[in-house]
Amino acid sequence: MRFLHTADWHIGKKLHGFDLSEAQTHAYHQIRQLAIDEQVDAVVIAGDLYDRAIPNEKSVTQLDEMLIDLNLKQHFPILAISGNHDSATRLRTGSRWFKETKYYLNTKLSQALTPIEFADTQFFLLPYFEPFEARRYFEDDQIRTAEAGMIKIVAAMQAKFNPAKKHVLVAHFFAAGSEHVDSETQVTVGGLNAIPVGLLAPFDYVALGHLHGKDALHADRVRYSGSPVKFSVSEAQQQKGVWIVDTDPFKIEFKPLSPERDVRVLENDFATLTNPQYYQQQKQDDYLAIRLTDKRVIPNVMQALREIYPNIIELERADGPVLTDTATAQIDPTLDPMTLMTQFFEQMTNDEMTAQQQTWAAQALTAATKEDN
Amino acid sequence: MRFLHTADWHIGKKLHGFDLSEAQTHAYHQIRQLAIDEQVDAVVIAGDLYDRAIPNEKSVTQLDEMLIDLNLKQHFPILAISGNHDSATRLRTGSRWFKETKYYLNTKLSQALTPIEFADTQFFLLPYFEPFEARRYFEDDQIRTAEAGMIKIVAAMQAKFNPAKKHVLVAHFFAAGSEHVDSETQVTVGGLNAIPVGLLAPFDYVALGHLHGKDALHADRVRYSGSPVKFSVSEAQQQKGVWIVDTDPFKIEFKPLSPERDVRVLENDFATLTNPQYYQQQKQDDYLAIRLTDKRVIPNVMQALREIYPNIIELERADGPVLTDTATAQIDPTLDPMTLMTQFFEQMTNDEMTAQQQTWAAQALTAATKEDN
């Protein structure tokens, strides 16, 4: 059979305060079109459908509409699991009904041991799990790590293997040896939750979710699809997309998704960035992390840049904070802490503190003073 | 056809801090048994399935299990709507799949105008709605009240009437002229949200939710089922249950539900209440609102009563607060406000303020003083 492998939709996620819902719908439409064009037999979604345990109502509606479209309108079987960002309990509401139309959503470890069978393939849908869940399920006090749990889980799955079929695992975890970036919160590198890739050898393919880049892991048959949308500056260089997987004979192909509005790093000096001949060549409304190469203090730099680039998500100095002679000279350690902090903020950011920021600064200073006493 | 009419399950509701989930499951089991024994063709749930817009995970699991049991295991068609306590958006997740097994859940006004058809009956499932939703749906700026919206809605439903069939409306609102009690929060009496019963004349039966007593309204064919469980002391005298309704020939019968633990008012003097010969005749673990007929101050009264009656939800003096000569004499208006409040509290409740209560009292006094200035 042929299936599409995607993961980490993170519906509801924001990018430095910017709403990504349109970007996510734009990506979804491309995924749907790929499923149609490639004539896949099913769509695999390997966890983190939502960005948070209690998504807001807009996100609930958005994901519901995507899944209704994919399963009830386009009639694709769906094979999905909950990730660490989802509330398994909330996500599973209604899932007992979904099966009627071949939308399989597993949110409990126990469900993972019953394969979903297609003509030539057994799918094992393993939701994100914590070591204690495996410990409880197998009634084995020795299970203290995800790895120890996974050894038991794989053995239990192998006991269900039909040798006449191919075996695909869908899961959501950190595979040991993967490279990760900073948007993948709650990722434990090499800690209690890492799963050695060697454990996964019994499967013909492992469709993973959790890490957001398709190249996070280098293994032919164990792959992250990555997220369909860039979720942070650290993902700026990643090519987002999905895998199209054939089980027999095994074949895998990456299909890129193109963003409506890209996440990019723009490194240049202020004069160039604000020169029409330069910026008119740019997609000005991309989400931009700007690295200024200037060394000097530039008044109102953020405001000036936002007039040209409306979706700035980061503004940094390429060579670290500006500390001109004038600036360092201005910092007088005999000043009161609030004045010092205000001056430091202005020199670092080229911006004045807002009223809210002043309140926070004052609270932080009060707290710090209390701890001193 | 024959159906069972229930409403206002309020899964997740607490009674003065006591968890009602077991009581609700106990009631559900009786409802299921009645549906089986009475061989109904469908179960109607007229809104407020949950007690709140964002139910906790335990409540999500509880309601999901009840509906899985009723629809997928017992194979009863379900006809349900969202009430004012439900988040229509959250409740509707997955509802597009529910239809496959005849679980019809309407959460949008627009859905109400497409009847669900059974052999001899058209059901119109109208979720709780606010006037602005009707105004927007009908694109009619004149709609400023629920009544004005309802006039339009009923007309639109009548346009869909098949004269060969019976017509049942399932709805969740305050019917003008109903009697209400204090647990039915957000009930507007005779205000913008009241619907005159006369408007409902075109229907053979109107299955209502919103008010918690079956006798809230006196109309043969427009009825509240009431909640399956008592949710406050004001409901202590109500007989909880469900209606079994036959559409042709029309017949209606009330089937009582018996509580695991009743809500009762117990009025007596302290000596009697603490006399084994009396209390051993009582169901001591009922949820009790105790009305003490004593006039005197009784030290540690709550503690003494709780040792006998573990689930006291209210403790009051039958004849109002205790103000003995001694007590009134003790109140000296020249004392500082906090001392006055503390004394008053102790005399009213026969209890000392907890540390938390003292904090609240102090905050209230500070706020009051500020307002004075």
Side-chain angles (χ1 to χ4, degrees):
Chain A
M1 74 176 288
R2 165 176 285 195
F3 62 89
L4 183 152
H5 167 198
T6 177
D8 294 278
W9 289 10
H10 284 271
I11 302 300
K13 193 166 181 73
K14 290 195 186 310
L15 176 65
H16 294 260
F18 289 102
D19 182 351
L20 288 177
S21 60
E22 275 185 42
Q24 287 164 318
T25 295
H26 181 79
Y28 167 71
H29 287 148
Q30 294 175 69
I31 292 173
R32 175 182 65 185
Q33 197 55 49
L34 281 167
I36 295 169
D37 294 345
E38 298 292 324
Q39 301 182 345
V40 301
D41 302 305
V43 173
V44 166
I45 313 174
D48 283 358
L49 284 74
Y50 285 121
D51 189 53
R52 53 180 64 192
I54 306 185
N56 66 27
E57 292 196 344
K58 183 181 170 185
S59 303
V60 169
T61 299
Q62 187 179 12
L63 181 63
D64 204 40
E65 284 177 355
M66 288 174 176
L67 297 171
I68 287 169
D69 182 51
L70 199 58
N71 182 244
L72 293 180
K73 295 185 184 164
Q74 309 298 333
H75 302 291
F76 287 108
I78 298 177
L79 301 157
I81 56 173
S82 48
N84 55 311
H85 278 252
D86 302 304
S87 154
T89 300
R90 293 181 192 280
L91 195 62
R92 84 167 61 100
T93 309
S95 61
R96 282 292 298 272
W97 282 267
F98 301 163
K99 292 177 191 172
E100 306 280 333
T101 54
K102 297 193 177 175
Y103 167 16
Y104 302 95
L105 171 63
N106 280 7
T107 59
K108 296 179 186 178
L109 175 50
S110 58
Q111 298 172 310
L113 307 182
T114 306
I116 312 297
E117 309 227 348
F118 281 77
D120 71 346
T121 305
Q122 289 182 306
F123 282 89
F124 293 85
L125 310 185
L126 174 65
Y128 174 81
F129 68 96
E130 297 279 353
F132 81 87
E133 296 172 82
R135 185 160 67 245
R136 191 181 294 166
Y137 181 75
F138 291 105
E139 296 177 358
D140 179 349
D141 271 353
Q142 304 304 308
I143 298 176
R144 294 280 154 188
T145 62
E147 177 180 353
M150 198 64 199
I151 290 170
K152 286 270 194 179
I153 290 167
V154 172
M157 287 175 174
Q158 281 187 281
K160 303 282 180 73
F161 273 19
N162 174 347
K165 297 201 178 195
K166 300 292 176 184
H167 310 103
V168 173
L169 173 66
V170 179
H172 190 95
F173 53 60
F174 181 78
S178 307
E179 292 157 18
H180 74 110
V181 296
D182 71 4
S183 74
E184 296 143 350
T185 50
Q186 299 182 37
V187 168
T188 314
V189 184
L192 287 183
N193 289 315
I195 305 285
V197 174
L199 278 187
L200 309 171
F203 297 97
D204 294 284
Y205 183 71
V206 181
L208 289 177
H210 198 38
L211 301 187
H212 295 173
K214 73 169 168 59
D215 300 318
L217 186 68
H218 299 283
D220 278 352
R221 300 223 177 178
V222 182
R223 297 198 186 245
Y224 288 100
S225 65
S227 57
V229 167
K230 294 180 185 176
F231 292 133
S232 83
V233 177
S234 61
E235 296 176 32
Q237 298 304 318
Q238 295 178 356
Q239 173 62 60
K240 297 300 189 182
V242 302
W243 295 108
I244 302 293
V245 183
D246 283 296
T247 54
D248 195 16
F250 183 78
K251 191 176 147 234
I252 186 160
E253 188 178 1
F254 188 74
K255 294 284 180 183
L257 302 174
S258 59
E260 197 177 27
R261 194 174 281 165
D262 206 357
V263 174
R264 285 192 297 130
V265 177
L266 213 57
E267 182 165 329
N268 224 316
D269 60 88
F270 185 75
T272 306
L273 287 166
T274 54
N275 180 339
Q277 290 190 319
Y278 174 83
Y279 67 67
Q280 283 166 3
Q281 304 300 317
Q282 296 291 326
K283 268 200 73 188
Q284 286 164 246
D285 69 342
D286 275 353
Y287 296 114
L288 296 176
I290 293 184
R291 309 269 186 264
L292 277 180
T293 55
D294 308 75
K295 306 274 182 198
R296 67 194 171 92
V297 172
I298 305 165
N300 296 319
V301 58
M302 185 53 125
Q303 197 184 332
L305 289 171
R306 279 232 169 98
E307 278 172 18
I308 299 167
Y309 309 101
N311 300 317
I312 296 175
I313 55 176
E314 278 183 23
L315 176 59
E316 285 179 9
R317 296 289 179 152
D319 303 313
V322 181
L323 282 175
T324 62
D325 290 348
T326 337
T328 41
Q330 276 171 0
I331 292 186
D332 172 356
T334 65
L335 287 172
D336 72 283
M338 187 66 197
T339 308
L340 268 176
M341 197 189 269
T342 307
Q343 288 187 358
F344 183 72
F345 181 93
E346 286 170 4
Q347 289 170 19
M348 291 302 106
T349 64
N350 291 310
D351 242 346
E352 283 184 20
M353 279 194 193
T354 63
Q356 179 63 67
Q357 285 165 335
Q358 285 174 20
T359 307
W360 285 330
Q363 286 169 350
L365 284 173
T366 308
T369 312
K370 272 191 193 153
E371 279 168 23
D372 282 349
N373 297 342
Chain B
M1 74 176 289
R2 164 177 284 195
F3 63 90
L4 184 153
H5 166 199
T6 177
D8 294 278
W9 288 10
H10 285 272
I11 302 299
K13 194 169 182 73
K14 290 195 188 310
L15 175 65
H16 295 261
F18 290 101
D19 182 352
L20 288 177
S21 60
E22 275 185 42
Q24 287 164 318
T25 295
H26 181 79
Y28 167 71
H29 287 148
Q30 293 176 70
I31 291 173
R32 175 181 64 184
Q33 197 56 47
L34 281 167
I36 294 168
D37 294 345
E38 297 293 325
Q39 302 181 355
V40 301
D41 302 305
V43 173
V44 165
I45 313 174
D48 283 357
L49 283 75
Y50 286 120
D51 189 53
R52 53 180 63 192
I54 306 186
N56 66 27
E57 292 196 343
K58 182 182 170 184
S59 304
V60 168
T61 298
Q62 187 178 13
L63 181 63
D64 204 39
E65 284 176 354
M66 289 173 176
L67 297 171
I68 286 170
D69 182 52
L70 199 56
N71 182 244
L72 293 181
K73 296 184 183 164
Q74 309 297 331
H75 303 292
F76 287 108
I78 299 177
L79 300 156
I81 55 173
S82 48
N84 55 311
H85 278 252
D86 302 303
S87 154
T89 300
R90 294 181 192 280
L91 195 62
R92 84 167 61 101
T93 309
S95 61
R96 282 292 298 273
W97 282 267
F98 301 161
K99 292 177 191 171
E100 306 280 333
T101 53
K102 296 194 176 174
Y103 166 18
Y104 303 96
L105 170 63
N106 279 6
T107 59
K108 297 179 185 177
L109 175 50
S110 59
Q111 298 171 309
L113 306 182
T114 305
I116 313 297
E117 310 227 347
F118 282 76
D120 71 345
T121 305
Q122 289 182 308
F123 282 89
F124 293 85
L125 310 186
L126 173 65
Y128 174 80
F129 68 96
E130 296 280 352
F132 81 86
E133 297 172 81
R135 185 160 66 244
R136 191 180 295 168
Y137 180 75
F138 291 106
E139 296 176 359
D140 179 349
D141 271 354
Q142 303 305 306
I143 298 176
R144 295 279 152 189
T145 61
E147 176 180 354
M150 198 64 200
I151 290 169
K152 286 271 194 177
I153 290 167
V154 172
M157 287 175 175
Q158 281 187 283
K160 303 282 180 73
F161 273 19
N162 174 347
K165 297 201 177 197
K166 300 292 177 184
H167 310 102
V168 172
L169 173 65
V170 179
H172 191 96
F173 53 60
F174 182 79
S178 307
E179 292 158 17
H180 73 112
V181 296
D182 70 8
S183 74
E184 296 142 350
T185 50
Q186 301 182 36
V187 169
T188 314
V189 183
L192 286 183
N193 289 314
I195 306 285
V197 174
L199 278 187
L200 310 172
F203 297 97
D204 294 283
Y205 183 71
V206 181
L208 289 177
H210 198 38
L211 302 187
H212 295 172
K214 74 170 168 55
D215 300 317
L217 186 69
H218 300 283
D220 278 351
R221 301 224 176 176
V222 182
R223 296 200 187 242
Y224 289 99
S225 63
S227 56
V229 167
K230 294 179 185 177
F231 292 133
S232 83
V233 177
S234 61
E235 297 176 32
Q237 299 302 317
Q238 295 178 356
Q239 173 62 61
K240 297 300 188 182
V242 302
W243 295 107
I244 303 292
V245 183
D246 283 296
T247 53
D248 195 16
F250 182 78
K251 191 177 146 235
I252 185 161
E253 188 179 2
F254 188 75
K255 295 284 180 182
L257 302 175
S258 60
E260 197 176 28
R261 193 173 282 165
D262 205 358
V263 175
R264 286 191 296 131
V265 177
L266 212 57
E267 182 165 329
N268 224 315
D269 60 90
F270 185 76
T272 306
L273 287 167
T274 53
N275 181 338
Q277 291 191 317
Y278 174 83
Y279 67 68
Q280 285 166 2
Q281 305 298 315
Q282 295 292 326
K283 268 200 72 188
Q284 287 165 244
D285 69 343
D286 276 354
Y287 297 114
L288 297 175
I290 294 185
R291 309 269 186 264
L292 278 179
T293 55
D294 308 74
K295 306 274 184 201
R296 67 192 172 94
V297 172
I298 305 165
N300 297 319
V301 58
M302 185 53 124
Q303 196 185 331
L305 289 171
R306 279 232 169 99
E307 279 171 17
I308 300 167
Y309 310 100
N311 300 315
I312 296 176
I313 54 176
E314 278 183 23
L315 176 60
E316 286 180 8
R317 297 288 181 154
D319 303 316
V322 182
L323 282 174
T324 61
D325 290 348
T326 337
T328 42
Q330 277 170 357
I331 291 185
D332 173 357
T334 65
L335 287 173
D336 71 285
M338 188 65 196
T339 309
L340 268 175
M341 197 189 267
T342 307
Q343 289 189 358
F344 183 71
F345 181 92
E346 286 170 6
Q347 289 170 20
M348 290 302 107
T349 64
N350 291 311
D351 243 347
E352 283 184 19
M353 279 195 195
T354 63
Q356 178 63 68
Q357 285 166 334
Q358 285 174 19
T359 308
W360 286 330
Q363 286 168 350
L365 284 173
T366 309
T369 312
K370 272 192 193 151
E371 278 167 23
D372 281 353
N373 297 344

